[in-house]
Coordinates of all heavy atoms in Angstrom, one line a residue:
M1 N 66.3 78.1 76.8 CA 66.4 76.6 76.8 C 67.2 76.1 75.7 O 67.9 75.1 75.8 CB 64.9 76.1 76.7 CG 64.8 74.6 76.9 SD 65.2 74.2 78.5 CE 65.0 72.4 78.4
E2 N 67.2 76.8 74.6 CA 67.9 76.4 73.4 C 69.5 76.5 73.7 O 70.2 75.6 73.1 CB 67.6 77.4 72.3 CG 68.1 76.9 70.9 CD 67.6 77.8 69.8 OE1 66.4 77.9 69.6 OE2 68.5 78.3 69.1
I3 N 69.9 77.4 74.5 CA 71.3 77.5 74.8 C 71.8 76.2 75.6 O 72.9 75.8 75.4 CB 71.6 78.8 75.7 CG1 71.3 80.0 74.9 CG2 73.0 78.8 76.2 CD1 71.3 81.3 75.6
L4 N 70.9 75.6 76.4 CA 71.3 74.5 77.2 C 71.4 73.2 76.2 O 72.1 72.3 76.6 CB 70.3 74.2 78.3 CG 70.2 75.3 79.3 CD1 69.1 75.0 80.3 CD2 71.5 75.4 80.1
L5 N 70.6 73.2 75.2 CA 70.6 72.0 74.3 C 71.6 72.1 73.2 O 71.9 71.0 72.6 CB 69.2 71.9 73.7 CG 68.0 71.6 74.7 CD1 66.7 71.6 74.0 CD2 68.3 70.3 75.4
T6 N 72.2 73.3 72.9 CA 73.2 73.4 71.9 C 74.4 72.5 72.0 O 74.8 71.8 71.1 CB 73.6 74.9 71.7 OG1 72.4 75.6 71.5 CG2 74.5 75.1 70.6
P7 N 75.0 72.4 73.2 CA 76.2 71.5 73.4 C 75.8 70.0 73.1 O 76.6 69.3 72.7 CB 76.6 71.7 74.8 CG 76.1 73.0 75.2 CD 74.8 73.2 74.4
L8 N 74.6 69.6 73.4 CA 74.2 68.3 73.2 C 74.1 68.0 71.7 O 74.3 66.8 71.3 CB 72.9 68.0 73.9 CG 72.9 68.1 75.4 CD1 71.5 68.0 76.0 CD2 73.8 67.1 76.0
A9 N 73.8 68.9 70.9 CA 73.6 68.7 69.5 C 74.8 68.8 68.7 O 74.9 68.4 67.5 CB 72.6 69.7 68.9
M10 N 76.0 69.2 69.3 CA 77.2 69.3 68.7 C 77.8 67.9 68.5 O 77.7 67.0 69.3 CB 78.2 70.1 69.5 CG 77.8 71.6 69.5 SD 78.8 72.6 70.7 CE 80.4 72.2 70.2
S11 N 78.6 67.7 67.4 CA 79.3 66.5 67.2 C 80.5 66.4 68.1 O 81.0 67.4 68.6 CB 79.7 66.4 65.7 OG 80.6 67.3 65.4
D12 N 81.1 65.3 68.1 CA 82.3 65.1 68.9 C 83.5 65.9 68.4 O 84.3 66.5 69.1 CB 82.8 63.6 69.0 CG 81.8 62.8 69.9 OD1 81.1 63.4 70.8 OD2 81.7 61.6 69.7
G13 N 83.6 66.0 67.1 CA 84.6 66.8 66.4 C 84.5 68.2 66.8 O 85.5 68.9 67.0
A14 N 83.3 68.8 66.8 CA 83.1 70.2 67.2 C 83.5 70.4 68.6 O 84.1 71.4 68.9 CB 81.6 70.6 66.9
K15 N 83.1 69.5 69.5 CA 83.5 69.6 70.9 C 85.0 69.6 71.1 O 85.6 70.4 71.8 CB 82.9 68.5 71.7 CG 81.4 68.6 71.9 CD 80.8 67.5 72.6 CE 79.3 67.6 72.7 NZ 78.7 66.4 73.3
F16 N 85.7 68.7 70.3 CA 87.2 68.7 70.4 C 87.8 69.9 69.9 O 88.8 70.4 70.4 CB 87.7 67.4 69.6 CG 87.5 66.1 70.3 CD1 87.0 65.0 69.7 CD2 87.8 66.0 71.7 CE1 86.8 63.8 70.3 CE2 87.6 64.8 72.4 CZ 87.2 63.7 71.7
G17 N 87.2 70.5 68.8 CA 87.7 71.7 68.2 C 87.6 72.9 69.1 O 88.5 73.7 69.2
I18 N 86.5 73.0 69.7 CA 86.3 74.1 70.7 C 87.2 73.9 71.9 O 87.8 74.9 72.4 CB 84.8 74.2 71.1 CG1 84.0 74.7 69.9 CG2 84.6 75.1 72.3 CD1 82.5 74.6 70.2
A19 N 87.3 72.7 72.4 CA 88.3 72.4 73.5 C 89.7 72.7 73.1 O 90.4 73.4 73.9 CB 88.1 71.0 73.9
A20 N 90.1 72.4 71.9 CA 91.5 72.7 71.5 C 91.7 74.2 71.4 O 92.8 74.7 71.9 CB 91.8 72.1 70.1
G21 N 90.8 74.9 70.9 CA 90.9 76.4 70.8 C 91.0 77.0 72.2 O 91.8 77.9 72.4
V22 N 90.2 76.5 73.1 CA 90.2 77.1 74.5 C 91.5 76.8 75.2 O 92.1 77.6 75.9 CB 89.0 76.5 75.3 CG1 89.1 76.8 76.8 CG2 87.7 77.1 74.8
I23 N 92.0 75.6 75.0 CA 93.3 75.2 75.6 C 94.4 76.0 75.1 O 95.3 76.5 75.8 CB 93.5 73.7 75.5 CG1 92.5 72.9 76.4 CG2 94.9 73.3 75.9 CD1 92.5 71.4 76.1
V24 N 94.5 76.1 73.7 CA 95.5 77.0 73.1 C 95.4 78.4 73.6 O 96.5 79.0 74.0 CB 95.4 76.9 71.6 CG1 96.3 78.0 70.9 CG2 95.8 75.5 71.1
F25 N 94.2 78.9 73.7 CA 94.1 80.3 74.2 C 94.6 80.4 75.7 O 95.3 81.4 76.0 CB 92.7 80.8 74.1 CG 92.4 82.2 74.7 CD1 92.8 83.3 74.1 CD2 91.8 82.3 76.0 CE1 92.6 84.5 74.6 CE2 91.6 83.5 76.6 CZ 92.1 84.6 75.8
I26 N 94.2 79.5 76.5 CA 94.6 79.6 77.9 C 96.1 79.5 78.1 O 96.7 80.3 78.8 CB 93.9 78.5 78.8 CG1 92.4 78.9 78.9 CG2 94.5 78.4 80.1 CD1 91.6 77.7 79.5
L27 N 96.7 78.6 77.4 CA 98.2 78.4 77.5 C 98.9 79.6 77.0 O 99.9 80.1 77.6 CB 98.6 77.1 76.7 CG 98.2 75.8 77.3 CD1 98.6 74.7 76.4 CD2 98.8 75.6 78.7
L28 N 98.5 80.2 75.8 CA 99.1 81.4 75.3 C 98.9 82.6 76.1 O 99.8 83.4 76.2 CB 98.7 81.6 73.8 CG 99.2 80.5 72.8 CD1 98.7 80.8 71.5 CD2 100.8 80.5 72.8
F29 N 97.7 82.7 76.7 CA 97.4 83.8 77.6 C 98.3 83.8 78.8 O 98.8 84.9 79.2 CB 95.9 83.8 77.9 CG 95.5 85.1 78.7 CD1 95.4 86.3 78.1 CD2 95.3 85.0 80.1 CE1 95.0 87.4 78.8 CE2 94.9 86.1 80.8 CZ 94.7 87.3 80.1
I30 N 98.5 82.7 79.5 CA 99.3 82.5 80.6 C 100.7 82.9 80.2 O 101.4 83.6 80.9 CB 99.2 81.2 81.2 CG1 97.8 80.9 81.8 CG2 100.3 80.9 82.2 CD1 97.5 79.5 82.3
K31 N 101.2 82.5 79.1 CA 102.5 82.8 78.6 C 102.7 84.3 78.4 O 103.8 84.8 78.7 CB 102.9 82.0 77.3 CG 104.3 82.1 76.9 CD 104.6 81.1 75.8 CE 106.0 81.3 75.4 NZ 106.5 80.2 74.6
L32 N 101.7 84.9 77.8 CA 101.7 86.3 77.6 C 101.8 87.1 78.9 O 102.6 88.0 79.1 CB 100.4 86.8 76.9 CG 100.2 88.3 76.7 CD1 101.3 88.8 75.8 CD2 98.9 88.6 76.2
I33 N 101.0 86.7 79.9 CA 101.1 87.4 81.2 C 102.4 87.2 81.9 O 103.0 88.1 82.4 CB 100.0 86.8 82.2 CG1 98.6 87.1 81.6 CG2 100.1 87.3 83.6 CD1 98.3 88.6 81.5
I34 N 103.0 86.0 81.8 CA 104.3 85.8 82.4 C 105.4 86.6 81.6 O 106.3 87.1 82.3 CB 104.7 84.2 82.4 CG1 103.7 83.4 83.3 CG2 106.1 84.0 82.6 CD1 103.8 82.0 83.3
G35 N 105.3 86.6 80.3 CA 106.2 87.5 79.5 C 106.2 88.9 79.9 O 107.2 89.6 80.0
F36 N 105.0 89.4 80.1 CA 104.9 90.8 80.6 C 105.4 91.0 81.9 O 106.1 92.1 82.2 CB 103.4 91.3 80.5 CG 103.1 92.0 79.2 CD1 102.6 91.3 78.2 CD2 103.3 93.4 79.1 CE1 102.3 92.0 77.0 CE2 103.0 94.1 77.9 CZ 102.5 93.4 76.9
I37 N 105.3 90.1 82.8 CA 105.8 90.2 84.2 C 107.4 90.2 84.1 O 108.0 91.0 84.7 CB 105.3 89.1 85.1 CG1 103.8 89.4 85.4 CG2 106.1 89.1 86.4 CD1 103.1 88.3 86.2
K38 N 107.9 89.3 83.3 CA 109.4 89.3 83.1 C 109.9 90.6 82.5 O 110.9 91.1 82.9 CB 109.8 88.1 82.2 CG 109.7 86.7 82.9 CD 110.1 85.7 82.0 CE 110.1 84.3 82.6 NZ 110.5 83.2 81.7
F39 N 109.2 91.1 81.5 CA 109.5 92.3 80.9 C 109.5 93.5 81.9 O 110.5 94.3 81.8 CB 108.6 92.7 79.7 CG 108.8 94.0 79.1 CD1 109.8 94.1 78.1 CD2 108.1 95.1 79.3 CE1 110.1 95.3 77.5 CE2 108.3 96.3 78.7 CZ 109.3 96.4 77.8
C40 N 108.6 93.5 82.8 CA 108.5 94.6 83.8 C 109.8 94.6 84.7 O 110.3 95.6 85.0 CB 107.3 94.4 84.7 SG 105.8 94.6 83.8
F41 N 110.3 93.4 85.0 CA 111.5 93.3 85.9 C 112.7 93.5 85.2 O 113.8 93.9 85.8 CB 111.4 92.0 86.7 CG 110.3 92.0 87.8 CD1 109.3 91.0 87.7 CD2 110.3 92.9 88.8 CE1 108.3 91.0 88.7 CE2 109.3 92.9 89.8 CZ 108.3 91.9 89.7
R42 N 112.8 93.1 83.9 CA 114.1 93.2 83.2 C 114.3 94.6 82.6 O 115.5 95.0 82.5 CB 114.1 92.2 82.0 CG 114.2 90.8 82.5 CD 114.3 89.8 81.2 NE 114.3 88.5 81.7 CZ 114.0 87.4 80.9 NH1 113.7 87.6 79.7 NH2 114.1 86.2 81.4
H43 N 113.3 95.3 82.3 CA 113.4 96.6 81.7 C 112.5 97.6 82.4 O 111.5 98.1 81.8 CB 113.0 96.6 80.2 CG 113.7 95.5 79.4 ND1 115.1 95.5 79.2 CD2 113.3 94.3 78.9 CE1 115.3 94.5 78.5 NE2 114.3 93.7 78.3
P44 N 112.8 98.0 83.6 CA 111.9 98.8 84.4 C 111.8 100.2 83.8 O 110.7 100.8 83.8 CB 112.6 98.9 85.8 CG 114.0 98.5 85.6 CD 114.0 97.6 84.4
I45 N 112.8 100.9 83.3 CA 112.7 102.2 82.7 C 111.8 102.2 81.5 O 110.9 103.0 81.3 CB 114.1 102.8 82.5 CG1 114.8 103.0 83.8 CG2 114.0 104.1 81.8 CD1 116.3 103.3 83.6
L46 N 112.1 101.3 80.6 CA 111.3 101.2 79.4 C 109.9 100.8 79.7 O 108.9 101.3 79.1 CB 111.9 100.1 78.4 CG 111.3 99.9 77.1 CD1 111.4 101.2 76.3 CD2 111.9 98.8 76.3
F47 N 109.6 100.0 80.7 CA 108.3 99.6 81.1 C 107.5 100.8 81.6 O 106.3 101.1 81.2 CB 108.3 98.6 82.2 CG 107.1 98.3 82.9 CD1 106.1 97.6 82.2 CD2 106.8 98.8 84.1 CE1 104.8 97.4 82.8 CE2 105.5 98.5 84.8 CZ 104.6 97.8 84.0
V48 N 108.2 101.7 82.4 CA 107.5 102.9 82.9 C 107.2 103.9 81.8 O 106.1 104.4 81.7 CB 108.4 103.6 84.0 CG1 107.8 104.9 84.4 CG2 108.5 102.6 85.2
L49 N 108.1 104.0 80.9 CA 107.9 104.9 79.7 C 106.7 104.4 78.9 O 105.8 105.2 78.4 CB 109.1 105.0 78.9 CG 110.3 105.9 79.4 CD1 111.5 105.9 78.6 CD2 109.8 107.3 79.7
L50 N 106.7 103.1 78.6 CA 105.5 102.6 77.8 C 104.2 102.7 78.6 O 103.2 102.9 78.0 CB 105.8 101.1 77.5 CG 106.8 100.8 76.4 CD1 107.1 99.4 76.3 CD2 106.3 101.4 75.1
L51 N 104.3 102.5 79.9 CA 103.1 102.6 80.7 C 102.6 104.0 80.7 O 101.4 104.3 80.6 CB 103.4 102.2 82.1 CG 102.3 102.0 83.1 CD1 101.4 100.9 82.5 CD2 102.8 101.6 84.5
I52 N 103.5 105.0 80.8 CA 103.0 106.4 80.8 C 102.5 106.9 79.4 O 101.4 107.6 79.4 CB 104.2 107.4 81.1 CG1 104.6 107.1 82.6 CG2 103.9 108.8 80.9 CD1 105.9 107.8 83.0
F53 N 103.1 106.5 78.4 CA 102.6 106.9 77.1 C 101.7 106.0 76.4 O 101.3 106.2 75.2 CB 103.8 107.1 76.1 CG 104.8 108.3 76.6 CD1 106.0 108.0 77.0 CD2 104.3 109.5 76.7 CE1 106.8 109.0 77.5 CE2 105.1 110.6 77.1 CZ 106.4 110.3 77.5
G54 N 101.2 104.9 77.0 CA 100.1 104.1 76.5 C 100.6 103.0 75.5 O 99.8 102.3 75.0
G55 N 101.9 102.8 75.3 CA 102.4 101.9 74.4 C 102.2 100.4 75.0 O 102.1 99.4 74.2
L56 N 102.2 100.3 76.3 CA 102.1 99.0 76.9 C 100.7 98.4 76.7 O 100.6 97.2 76.4 CB 102.5 99.1 78.4 CG 102.7 97.8 79.1 CD1 103.9 97.1 78.5 CD2 102.8 98.0 80.6
G57 N 99.7 99.2 76.8 CA 98.3 98.8 76.5 C 98.1 98.4 75.1 O 97.5 97.4 74.8
I58 N 98.7 99.1 74.2 CA 98.6 98.8 72.7 C 99.3 97.5 72.5 O 98.7 96.6 71.8 CB 99.1 99.9 71.9 CG1 98.3 101.2 72.0 CG2 99.3 99.5 70.4 CD1 98.8 102.4 71.3
A59 N 100.5 97.3 73.0 CA 101.2 96.1 72.8 C 100.5 94.9 73.3 O 100.4 93.8 72.7 CB 102.6 96.2 73.4
F60 N 99.9 95.1 74.6 CA 99.2 93.9 75.1 C 98.0 93.6 74.3 O 97.7 92.4 74.1 CB 98.8 94.3 76.6 CG 98.1 93.2 77.3 CD1 98.8 92.1 77.9 CD2 96.7 93.1 77.4 CE1 98.2 91.1 78.5 CE2 96.1 92.1 78.1 CZ 96.9 91.1 78.6
N61 N 97.2 94.6 73.8 CA 96.0 94.3 73.0 C 96.3 93.7 71.7 O 95.6 92.7 71.2 CB 95.2 95.6 72.8 CG 94.5 96.0 74.1 OD1 94.1 95.1 74.9 ND2 94.4 97.3 74.3
V62 N 97.4 94.1 71.1 CA 97.8 93.5 69.8 C 98.2 92.0 70.0 O 97.9 91.2 69.2 CB 99.0 94.3 69.2 CG1 99.6 93.5 68.0 CG2 98.5 95.6 68.7
L63 N 99.0 91.8 71.1 CA 99.4 90.4 71.3 C 98.2 89.5 71.7 O 98.2 88.3 71.4 CB 100.5 90.3 72.5 CG 101.9 90.9 72.0 CD1 102.8 91.1 73.2 CD2 102.5 90.1 70.9
L64 N 97.3 90.1 72.5 CA 96.1 89.3 72.9 C 95.3 89.0 71.6 O 94.7 87.9 71.5 CB 95.3 90.1 73.8 CG 94.1 89.4 74.5 CD1 94.5 88.2 75.2 CD2 93.3 90.4 75.4
A65 N 95.2 89.9 70.7 CA 94.5 89.7 69.4 C 95.2 88.5 68.7 O 94.5 87.7 68.1 CB 94.4 90.9 68.6
G66 N 96.5 88.5 68.6 CA 97.3 87.5 68.0 C 97.0 86.1 68.7 O 96.9 85.1 67.9
I67 N 96.9 86.1 70.0 CA 96.6 84.9 70.7 C 95.2 84.3 70.3 O 95.0 83.1 70.0 CB 96.7 85.0 72.2 CG1 98.2 85.2 72.6 CG2 96.1 83.9 73.0 CD1 98.4 85.6 74.0
L68 N 94.3 85.2 70.2 CA 92.9 84.9 69.8 C 92.9 84.3 68.4 O 92.2 83.2 68.1 CB 91.9 86.0 69.9 CG 91.5 86.4 71.3 CD1 90.7 87.7 71.3 CD2 90.7 85.3 71.9
I69 N 93.7 84.9 67.5 CA 93.7 84.4 66.1 C 94.3 83.0 66.1 O 93.8 82.1 65.3 CB 94.4 85.4 65.2 CG1 93.6 86.7 65.1 CG2 94.8 84.8 63.9 CD1 94.4 87.8 64.4
V70 N 95.4 82.8 66.8 CA 96.0 81.5 66.8 C 95.1 80.4 67.4 O 95.0 79.3 66.9 CB 97.4 81.5 67.6 CG1 97.9 80.2 67.9 CG2 98.4 82.4 66.9
A71 N 94.3 80.8 68.5 CA 93.4 79.8 69.1 C 92.3 79.5 68.1 O 91.9 78.3 68.0 CB 92.8 80.4 70.3
V72 N 91.8 80.4 67.4 CA 90.7 80.1 66.4 C 91.3 79.3 65.2 O 90.6 78.3 64.8 CB 90.1 81.5 65.8 CG1 89.3 81.2 64.6 CG2 89.4 82.2 66.9
I73 N 92.5 79.5 64.8 CA 93.1 78.7 63.8 C 93.3 77.3 64.2 O 93.0 76.3 63.5 CB 94.4 79.3 63.2 CG1 94.0 80.6 62.4 CG2 95.1 78.4 62.4 CD1 95.2 81.4 62.0
A74 N 93.7 77.1 65.5 CA 93.9 75.8 66.1 C 92.6 75.1 66.2 O 92.5 73.9 65.8 CB 94.6 75.9 67.4
G75 N 91.6 75.7 66.6 CA 90.2 75.1 66.7 C 89.7 74.7 65.4 O 89.2 73.6 65.2
F76 N 89.9 75.5 64.4 CA 89.5 75.3 63.0 C 90.3 74.1 62.5 O 89.7 73.2 61.7 CB 89.6 76.5 62.1 CG 89.3 76.2 60.7 CD1 87.9 76.1 60.3 CD2 90.2 76.0 59.7 CE1 87.6 75.8 59.0 CE2 89.9 75.8 58.4 CZ 88.6 75.7 58.0
G77 N 91.5 74.0 62.8 CA 92.4 72.9 62.3 C 91.9 71.5 62.9 O 91.8 70.6 62.2
V78 N 91.5 71.5 64.2 CA 91.0 70.3 64.8 C 89.6 70.0 64.2 O 89.3 68.8 63.9 CB 90.9 70.4 66.3 CG1 90.1 69.3 66.9 CG2 92.2 70.6 66.9
L79 N 88.7 71.0 64.0 CA 87.4 70.8 63.3 C 87.6 70.2 61.9 O 86.9 69.2 61.5 CB 86.6 72.1 63.2 CG 86.0 72.6 64.5 CD1 85.5 74.0 64.3 CD2 84.9 71.7 65.0
S80 N 88.6 70.7 61.2 CA 88.8 70.2 59.8 C 89.3 68.7 59.9 O 89.1 67.9 59.0 CB 89.8 71.1 59.1 OG 89.2 72.4 58.9
L81 N 90.2 68.5 60.9 CA 90.8 67.2 61.1 C 89.7 66.1 61.3 O 89.7 65.0 60.8 CB 91.8 67.2 62.2 CG 92.5 65.9 62.5 CD1 93.5 65.6 61.3 CD2 93.3 66.0 63.8
F82 N 88.7 66.5 62.1 CA 87.6 65.5 62.4 C 86.5 65.6 61.3 O 85.4 65.0 61.5 CB 87.0 65.8 63.8 CG 87.9 65.3 64.9 CD1 88.6 66.2 65.7 CD2 87.9 63.9 65.1 CE1 89.4 65.7 66.7 CE2 88.7 63.5 66.1 CZ 89.5 64.3 66.9
N83 N 86.7 66.4 60.3 CA 85.8 66.5 59.2 C 84.3 66.9 59.7 O 83.4 66.2 59.3 CB 85.8 65.2 58.4 CG 85.2 65.5 57.0 OD1 85.0 66.6 56.6 ND2 84.8 64.4 56.3
V84 N 84.3 67.9 60.5 CA 83.0 68.3 61.0 C 82.1 69.0 59.9 O 80.9 68.9 59.9 CB 83.2 69.3 62.2 CG1 81.8 69.9 62.7 CG2 83.8 68.6 63.3
F85 N 82.8 69.6 59.0 CA 82.1 70.4 57.9 C 81.7 69.4 56.8 O 82.4 68.9 56.0 CB 83.0 71.5 57.3 CG 83.6 72.3 58.4 CD1 84.9 72.3 58.7 CD2 82.7 73.2 59.0 CE1 85.4 73.1 59.6 CE2 83.2 74.1 60.0 CZ 84.6 74.1 60.3
D86 N 80.4 68.9 56.9 CA 80.0 67.9 55.9 C 79.6 68.6 54.6 O 78.5 68.9 54.3 CB 78.7 67.2 56.5 CG 79.1 66.4 57.7 OD1 80.2 65.9 57.8 OD2 78.2 66.4 58.6
L87 N 80.7 68.8 53.8 CA 80.4 69.5 52.5 C 80.4 68.5 51.4 O 81.1 67.5 51.4 CB 81.5 70.5 52.3 CG 81.6 71.7 53.3 CD1 82.7 72.5 53.0 CD2 80.3 72.4 53.2

C-alpha cells in the first residue's frame, strides 16, 4: 500500500525530475539502438568480428551505462532547479 501512496507524497519538482530523467533515458536509448543498427550495416565485417569475440556486448553495456549516468544527472539537474532538496 505504501508503494501506491509514494507518488502522491512527492512534490511537483520531484515528479518533473523523474520525468526528465526517464525522457532523457528513452531518447538516448533509442538513439543508441539506431546507432548500433547503422553500425551493423556500415561495417559488416567489423560487426561480425566484434560479435564473435564479445566486444559488441561490452561496447553496448558501456554505452548503456553512460546513458543511465546522463539520465540521472539530467534528473538531478531538474530536481536542483526546482529546489526539491530543502536544505
Side-chain angles (χ1 to χ4, degrees):
M1 186 69 181
E2 190 174 303
I3 295 172
L4 297 174
L5 296 177
T6 303
L8 296 175
M10 292 171 51
S11 66
D12 289 337
K15 290 178 186 176
F16 286 134
I18 291 172
V22 168
I23 290 171
V24 167
F25 175 76
I26 290 171
L27 291 176
L28 291 177
F29 185 74
I30 291 170
K31 189 171 181 162
L32 175 67
I33 296 297
I34 291 171
F36 263 90
I37 291 171
K38 285 182 181 178
F39 177 77
C40 295
F41 289 118
R42 288 184 185 162
H43 310 289
I45 296 171
L46 184 60
F47 171 71
V48 171
L49 287 174
L50 285 172
L51 190 62
I52 290 171
F53 295 115
L56 193 64
I58 292 171
F60 183 80
N61 286 328
V62 168
L63 291 172
L64 186 61
I67 288 173
L68 284 172
I69 291 169
V70 169
V72 168
I73 290 173
F76 177 74
V78 172
L79 285 171
S80 296
L81 183 68
F82 283 106
N83 198 15
V84 173
F85 307 110
D86 297 327
L87 299 176

